[in-house]
Amino acid sequence: MSQDVPTTDTNRRQLLQIIAGLSDGVMLIEVDQTIAWANEAALTMHGVTDLKALGANAEEYAQRFNLRYRNNHPLTADNYPIARVARGDEFSDVLVEVTPEADPDRTWVHRIRSMVLTDRSGQAELLVLILSDATEWASAEQRFERTFAANPAPAVICRLSDLRYIKVNQGFLEMTGYSREQVIGRSVYELDVLEAAEKRDLAIERLGQGATIPQMQAELKLPGGGSKQVIVAGQPLDDLHDEDCMLFSFMDMEPRRKAETALRQSEERFAKSFRLTPVPTLVCSAEQQLLEINEAFLQTSGYASEELLGKTVEEIGFLDPDACAALFATLEKTATVSSVDVKVHKKGGEQIDCEMAADTVVIQDKPCYLLVLMNITERKRSELELVAAIEEVMKDASWFSRTLIEKLANVKSINAQLPSTSFTELTARERDVLGLICQGLADKEIAARLKLAPNTVRNHVATLYSKLDVHSRSEAIVWARERGLFANEWRMKAP
């Protein structure tokens, strides 16, 4: 750009007054590369307060300030803007990083353009550098670059002017298997990120307008063949490297698809197992509302599914209120319940004995309770009848043979869970009393044998019953026999 400028000192002073207050920095340089003048903005952009700190000429300036391009390539002294404008070069929007030699921790980014002012004969009279401070812009751009590169979400950026990719992050490369060289410089027609998009026409229209592209499913071709289902969206970027661009971001649908498939298969297996299991089972919400009931429960309870679904366990009343409250209080506290005996009310009022187990499960992201019942009515009836029969015939164990006692003891052990108390937990006196009980002695006989008061013997017997969890002499005898105790002390009469 050429411009005729009056050459009088008065006109030059007026010119300096005009440009002194500009927000852009201005440096005036003589043809011999002497730095003639700089306004306050130019001085501030170099971190100095007076002209001398810039250096007397281009050579001193190069000694005091290190200049680099944005790609970190240093400028040689003959390529500094002062040297270039002195050669008559005219340039605009040159970006350089300026670092004082005396303070290497400080750096500014200058956007520079040049002017050559000529006299009436067309000869260069004054050289001008116009600087704008692009430090904040460069810092923001650098932050974007770092964020883009570090973002695990796959993304590419294309230039809107020619629709070619200028940036790609590691997330996209890892998701697709492309190399950086296979992406950068290619057009969206060669590597079509909108291929098979569900709203492809809308996406292409928005891309042409430089407008936001809403999320949509698409299919990405992979370099080794095959494709990948993704969610793609586009966000316009203004003035990225002084160019309008489009940021395409992606979400890989493959992990989600696999998770959904696994969840569906798991739910199908659960549903099939739930329906076919012969054990009465039901599922209720945390609020006790029945959600699922299997056929075995309906057959056991006598209810129809429509009579139960949607109602709460308390409303139906198949559990006693106290048992129901205790069950759900325990579930809320511990999340699981195992082997609890409960009374279940069938439709019509009949009661059955059941053993219940319960656990917390998550169905469709909501906590629910799985309740499993086992009808033990017949088993309990048989056990009670058998124990009653054994107690009846063993009221006087001394009259039965060893073989019969052993058979009765074995039968009872099959139908009753052994108490947890061990023989070593009994006191010496309690063991003596138990041994004499097993010989068939009554309380008075035991008192005489041990030289104790009858009341004392009765107290020992009561303590034995409590510790062994038995309720009669016959049960105490069976307890001892099951453990092989007093084998040589049984007093029996031949049949």
Side-chain angles (χ1 to χ4, degrees), residues 50-99:
D50 58 62
L51 184 63
K52 291 180 180 180
L54 292 178
N57 52 39
E59 182 179 356
E60 289 187 11
Y61 179 88
Q63 293 172 352
R64 299 182 184 191
F65 297 94
N66 295 318
L67 270 60
R68 298 188 307 272
Y69 288 121
R70 295 296 313 290
N71 58 9
N72 280 327
H73 289 172
L75 276 70
T76 58
D78 59 347
N79 277 322
Y80 270 43
I82 293 177
R84 289 183 58 185
V85 74
R87 290 197 299 266
D89 291 351
E90 294 193 18
F91 48 86
S92 62
D93 293 330
V94 172
L95 283 170
V96 294
E97 294 181 356
V98 179
T99 304

Side-chain angles (χ1 to χ4, degrees), residues 462-486:
T463 303
L464 271 173
Y465 285 2
S466 176
K467 286 187 176 181
L468 303 183
D469 194 24
V470 299
H471 305 284
S472 64
R473 302 176 83 83
S474 57
E475 286 188 34
I477 293 171
V478 171
W479 186 95
R481 187 60 185 165
E482 286 172 345
R483 288 156 179 77
L485 304 176
F486 313 114

Side-chain angles (χ1 to χ4, degrees), residues 16-250:
L16 296 180
Q17 290 173 356
I18 292 172
I19 63 178
L22 295 179
S23 59
D24 283 346
V26 178
M27 294 175 61
L28 301 182
I29 301 148
E30 303 289 356
V31 175
D32 63 0
Q33 299 190 26
T34 299
I35 300 176
W37 184 85
N39 69 350
E40 186 176 349
L43 296 176
T44 301
M45 289 180 204
H46 287 83
V48 298
T49 57
D50 58 62
L51 184 63
K52 291 180 180 180
L54 292 178
N57 52 39
E59 182 179 356
E60 289 187 11
Y61 179 88
Q63 293 172 352
R64 299 182 184 191
F65 297 94
N66 295 318
L67 270 60
R68 298 188 307 272
Y69 288 121
R70 295 296 313 290
N71 58 9
N72 280 327
H73 289 172
L75 276 70
T76 58
D78 59 347
N79 277 322
Y80 270 43
I82 293 177
R84 289 183 58 185
V85 74
R87 290 197 299 266
D89 291 351
E90 294 193 18
F91 48 86
S92 62
D93 293 330
V94 172
L95 283 170
V96 294
E97 294 181 356
V98 179
T99 304
E101 181 69 30
D103 189 2
D105 293 331
R106 297 190 66 183
T107 297
W108 293 267
V109 177
H110 294 173
R111 191 188 302 271
I112 306 174
R113 58 191 176 95
S114 68
M115 292 179 61
V116 178
L117 303 181
T118 59
D119 58 18
R120 294 184 183 276
S121 64
Q123 296 297 313
E125 180 184 31
L126 193 63
L127 311 176
V128 183
L129 291 181
I130 302 173
L131 298 70
S132 60
D133 191 348
T135 305
E136 287 298 323
W137 169 87
S139 177
E141 187 176 76
Q142 188 177 47
R143 288 195 298 270
F144 171 80
E145 294 275 359
R146 290 175 179 173
T147 303
F148 177 78
N151 189 355
V156 294
I157 296 176
C158 80
R159 201 165 38 217
L160 290 179
S161 59
D162 58 5
L163 296 182
R164 292 191 177 277
Y165 298 114
I166 59 173
K167 290 186 181 298
V168 58
N169 71 355
Q170 190 63 28
F172 183 86
L173 301 179
E174 292 176 355
M175 180 184 72
T176 61
Y178 283 103
S179 66
R180 196 172 300 276
E181 292 73 21
Q182 289 175 303
V183 178
I184 300 300
R186 296 180 68 183
S187 74
V188 295
Y189 302 109
E190 296 174 280
L191 199 165
D192 191 352
V193 298
L194 299 173
E195 186 167 354
E198 59 181 340
K199 299 178 183 177
R200 179 176 171 81
D201 291 341
L202 172 64
I204 292 176
E205 179 184 351
R206 294 289 182 87
L207 178 61
Q209 297 170 348
T212 299
I213 299 174
Q215 289 186 3
M216 61 185 69
Q217 290 191 25
E219 185 176 313
L220 280 179
K221 296 294 184 184
L222 302 180
S227 61
K228 182 179 287 288
Q229 295 294 323
V230 297
I231 296 291
V232 61
Q235 179 64 41
L237 301 176
D238 298 330
D239 296 328
L240 179 64
H241 299 311
D242 298 324
E243 295 180 295
D244 290 339
C245 298
M246 180 68 71
L247 167 67
F248 288 105
S249 57
F250 305 85

Side-chain angles (χ1 to χ4, degrees), residues 384-429:
L384 292 173
E385 291 174 352
L386 181 58
V387 170
I390 291 174
E391 289 179 349
E392 181 65 28
V393 300
M394 292 182 70
K395 285 181 178 178
D396 188 354
S398 64
W399 293 100
F400 298 99
S401 69
R402 178 185 300 273
T403 302
L404 180 57
I405 291 294
E406 289 177 348
K407 287 183 178 179
L408 290 172
N410 289 336
V411 169
K412 190 169 188 296
S413 68
I414 293 174
N415 292 278
Q417 184 178 1
L418 295 178
S420 59
T421 303
S422 67
F423 184 64
T424 57
E425 294 179 47
L426 302 179
T427 65
R429 182 61 74 190

